[in-house]
Amino acid sequence: MKSNIFCIFAPAKMITTFDCITPEGIRTFNSLLEGSHTLTVTTHTHPDGDALGSASALVCHLRQARGMDAVAVLPDSPSSTVRPIIPDGAPFLFLDTEPEACLERIRRSDLVILLDGNGFSRTEGLQAAFEASGARKVLIDHHLNPEKDSFGLVFSTPDISSASELLFFVLMELPEVGGDAARLPADTARALMTGMTTDTNNFANSVFPSTLEMASALLAAGVDRDAILASLYNNYRENRVRLMGYLQYEDMRITPEGMAYMVATREIMDRFGAEEGETEGLVNVPLSIGRVRMSILLKESDGHFRVSIRSKRGTSAQQCALDWFHGGGHENAAGGKLFWPGDIPAPEDAAAYLENVSRQCLK
Ligand SMILES: [Mn+2]
């Protein structure tokens, strides 16, 4: 039977407003863009989907919708799992592969925009270069405790899904977009949807009314969400799926207090031929167990473990990261580091440390 239901999408004004996006802030941002010639966009180390999505979206918007010289300069190369988020032809420089070009670009920049990180410390190897730069600086971020003093202009709120979502609502206010998502370049619209999708774990967490409003506007503007999902979630290597299975079956421990933890040592990662980024999302899996309140994944690096923490409502991943792992983040999604020697004598002592964290954090 032929459907006689049809919809007419007209560009509608966004319902959501954010306190951090004021008319004055938008005017300032617009005049900063108009007065700048060499723009550099950056984001945090070990870039995830939101970092790459927001950086890609902004670079493509500035180049395609405003004809500006915008380049992304990142502290390290993205893993193969998230690298396809960068649209073809979008100029990205990485400190680990092109250090001179990165530093030269920062030196020449007259406007720097940091996305998805609350300060330049999140850019690690690029921090000194950004801090020494005389460029004007803008922050667009959704983490707690933004380092406001380092920036001339700040768009920041934790009450949003992602940096990609915050950037969407900023871009919508710019004159060339005028509240009509269909006027965003296609690369920008797709990257924004991708970044938001990854940071919400495909609409599983940190979803606000504004998040669905953004998704609705981008879908109406023609973004192909099925293609995004296929490239994000149905495009892994076999190694990753087997590694995830191994860590869940052989490695995961659950403490009496309800903390699940897994330790991905270099030995295990090598055995499965795992690449950087291939444990992405694994830390969420143990939360599907009823009695698990917090999940921690350790991943071996040089002289330390990188720590990912997720928690259910009522348990603070953020507090745990602050108190035990030199880190921070959001209430239910945080991260940090565990050093040896220092926090623990040797990597083998990680499990004993985690058992103690469980007793202290979840008592
Ligand atoms: Mn983010």
Side-chain angles (χ1 to χ4, degrees):
M1 194 177 79
K2 216 172 160 195
S3 166
N4 59 359
I5 301 168
F6 61 93
C7 302
I8 298 169
F9 289 108
K13 226 177 147 32
M14 293 289 113
I15 301 160
T16 311
T17 57
F18 290 94
D19 288 347
C20 70
I21 306 176
T22 61
E24 199 206 332
I26 293 296
R27 271 196 302 276
T28 305
F29 189 43
N30 194 46
S31 55
L32 280 174
L33 294 176
E34 282 176 347
S36 304
H37 299 283
T38 310
L39 296 88
T40 292
V41 172
T42 193
T43 186
H44 62 76
T45 49
H46 304 300
D48 59 6
D50 188 32
L52 281 187
S54 58
S56 298
L58 183 53
V59 163
C60 291
H61 184 83
L62 295 174
R63 296 179 74 88
Q64 297 174 28
R66 296 185 73 123
M68 307 185 79
D69 173 16
V71 171
V73 176
L74 270 55
D76 49 4
S77 303
S79 64
S80 61
T81 47
V82 289
R83 184 180 274 270
I85 291 172
I86 300 173
D88 290 341
F92 272 67
L93 295 170
F94 307 110
L95 183 64
D96 54 334
T97 56
E98 296 178 84
E100 269 317 308
C102 287
L103 298 175
E104 166 65 11
R105 177 74 197 182
I106 294 170
R107 269 195 297 275
R108 290 199 300 114
S109 295
D110 51 10
L111 186 65
V112 167
I113 305 171
L114 172 62
L115 293 153
D116 200 31
N118 56 2
F120 286 117
S121 60
R122 299 302 319 282
T123 68
E124 293 191 0
L126 291 173
Q127 179 180 4
F130 282 125
E131 284 175 351
S133 155
R136 284 165 298 183
K137 292 160 188 167
V138 176
L139 176 67
I140 302 176
D141 180 48
H142 69 123
H143 295 87
L144 293 169
N145 310 317
E147 292 169 15
K148 290 189 176 172
D149 294 347
S150 309
F151 299 89
L153 177 65
V154 172
F155 298 104
S156 165
T157 174
D159 298 323
I160 199 164
S161 68
S162 55
S164 297
E165 185 187 329
L166 184 55
L167 176 62
F168 168 82
F169 281 97
V170 170
L171 293 178
M172 291 292 277
E173 296 298 323
L174 291 179
E176 70 274 20
V177 181
D180 181 359
R183 290 200 209 148
L184 293 167
D187 285 339
T188 295
R190 184 172 55 245
L192 291 170
M193 182 77 106
T194 305
M196 177 272 286
T197 299
T198 61
D199 248 25
T200 59
N201 193 11
N202 197 12
F203 295 91
N205 39 48
S206 305
V207 172
F208 292 77
S210 57
T211 314
L212 297 176
E213 193 181 8
M214 165 194 175
S216 171
L218 290 176
L219 281 176
V223 169
D224 184 349
R225 197 175 114 81
D226 291 341
I228 290 173
L229 294 184
S231 76
L232 285 177
Y233 301 120
N234 293 334
N235 201 25
Y236 295 119
R237 298 187 316 144
E238 179 181 341
N239 310 40
R240 170 189 145 98
V241 177
R242 296 196 183 279
L243 170 68
M244 302 256 283
Y246 175 85
L247 287 169
Q248 289 168 68
Y249 182 69
E250 286 286 343
D251 194 78
M252 182 177 71
R253 298 284 175 273
I254 304 177
T255 67
E257 298 82 18
M259 187 181 92
Y261 63 89
M262 290 176 271
V263 182
T265 61
R266 187 153 279 162
E267 192 271 313
I268 295 173
M269 300 290 281
D270 287 348
R271 193 174 347 144
F272 284 86
E275 293 172 3
E276 174 64 35
E278 288 197 303
T279 54
E280 186 70 39
L282 174 61
V283 67
N284 296 306
V285 174
L287 290 182
S288 64
I289 301 166
R291 75 179 179 90
V292 169
R293 297 155 62 194
M294 188 182 310
S295 169
I296 297 184
L297 173 66
L298 301 193
K299 211 158 61 168
E300 185 175 342
S301 194
D302 295 322
H304 67 276
F305 287 105
R306 287 185 11 226
V307 183
S308 299
I309 312 174
R310 299 291 182 273
S311 63
K312 288 181 182 164
R313 190 182 289 194
T315 301
S316 178
Q318 183 189 41
Q319 197 61 48
C320 183
L322 284 169
D323 291 347
W324 297 91
F325 300 107
H326 318 278
H330 308 283
E331 179 67 8
N332 298 120
K337 289 177 179 172
L338 181 67
F339 295 95
W340 71 81
D343 300 320
I344 50 176
E348 303 78 65
D349 303 302
Y353 188 89
L354 290 165
E355 294 283 340
N356 184 47
V357 168
S358 171
R359 285 190 292 273
Q360 305 291 327
C361 274
L362 298 181
K363 61 184 169 218

